[in-house]
Amino acid sequence: MDFTLTIEEKSALIKTARGRIRSELFGEETVYPEVSGVLNEICGAFVTIHIAGSLRGCIGNIVGRLPLFTTVKEMAHAAAFEDPRFPPLTKGEWDMIDIEISVLSPLYQTSDVNEIEVGKHGIFMKKGYHSGVLLPQVPVEQGWERDRFIQHTCLKAGLPPDAWKDPAMEIYLFTAIVFGEKDI
């Protein structure tokens, strides 16, 4: 990761995510925080929504295409209303949500799975039309060691758990700055 985020920048991103979701739920116009510096950098990011510690939505862009501020705004909306694993968020859930943001480093390819450090690296795997990604915090939250983390990334890609051994599998690693509302 080439940059860090200050508490103020993290707070601005959390407010942006909350504001985008609130505007959709309640039809209110949102005034977003002023942004500058790293918040205008192009990088990937995920927005994760939890309710009472359970996943409620998680959507992101692995590769940056837009400024971080814009990516967080769009991914907050997608996590709340477009994650195909969940129904759209409701007004009744608004007061129960916790938002977590993961700002991603650029991907780099590896052929050595021993390089993967649980809690530090996220994994993106791709083989043909199949791909799957798990963020660095997932194995920590699940209590997985490296082998299970790799296997579950294969499963997320819709492949057998040992598909990582196939020479055609592309394995990419990344790091992330991960923070939530409780960290601000």
Side-chain angles (χ1 to χ4, degrees):
M1 185 69 58
D2 292 326
F3 62 85
T4 59
L5 295 171
T6 65
I7 291 293
E8 293 78 18
E9 290 162 337
K10 291 176 182 178
S11 178
L13 290 174
I14 291 288
K15 287 176 184 173
T16 296
R18 258 207 184 265
R20 179 62 184 100
I21 295 167
R22 184 175 179 79
S23 71
E24 180 73 20
L25 279 176
F26 299 100
E28 300 172 356
E29 189 168 329
T30 300
V31 177
Y32 294 103
E34 295 271 335
V35 297
S36 61
V38 297
L39 299 185
N40 286 316
E41 294 287 326
I42 306 294
C43 62
F46 276 71
V47 174
T48 305
I49 300 171
H50 290 98
I51 293 180
S54 294
L55 181 65
R56 181 59 179 81
C58 181
I59 301 281
N61 283 336
I62 300 167
V63 178
R65 293 180 183 88
L66 299 168
L68 177 57
F69 168 81
T70 305
T71 298
V72 166
K73 189 168 31 171
E74 290 184 2
M75 296 306 103
H77 180 273
F81 305 106
E82 300 169 11
D83 188 326
R85 298 170 292 179
F86 303 96
L89 195 71
T90 66
K91 290 178 183 177
E93 293 172 306
W94 169 249
D95 289 333
M96 298 183 284
I97 66 170
D98 289 312
I99 296 173
E100 179 180 85
I101 297 173
S102 302
V103 179
L104 309 186
S105 72
L107 300 172
Y108 65 94
Q109 192 167 6
T110 186
S111 58
D112 182 6
V113 295
N114 292 316
E115 187 179 338
I116 299 168
E117 293 181 46
V118 170
K120 177 180 178 182
H121 293 113
I123 305 173
F124 172 65
M125 291 188 181
K126 183 176 189 294
K127 181 182 172 197
Y129 294 108
H130 296 273
S131 66
V133 64
L134 288 176
L135 298 171
Q137 60 269 36
V138 171
V140 175
E141 292 167 354
Q142 299 298 320
W144 298 337
E145 80 294 331
R146 180 175 43 218
D147 290 344
R148 286 200 67 204
F149 184 27
I150 295 166
Q151 292 167 356
H152 278 273
T153 307
C154 291
L155 293 169
K156 181 97 185 267
L159 297 166
D162 64 348
W164 64 271
K165 297 176 184 177
D166 186 329
M169 178 68 81
E170 297 175 41
I171 302 172
Y172 298 89
L173 303 181
F174 59 91
T175 59
I177 298 172
V178 181
F179 56 95
E181 293 177 287
K182 295 174 185 166
D183 300 320
I184 305 300

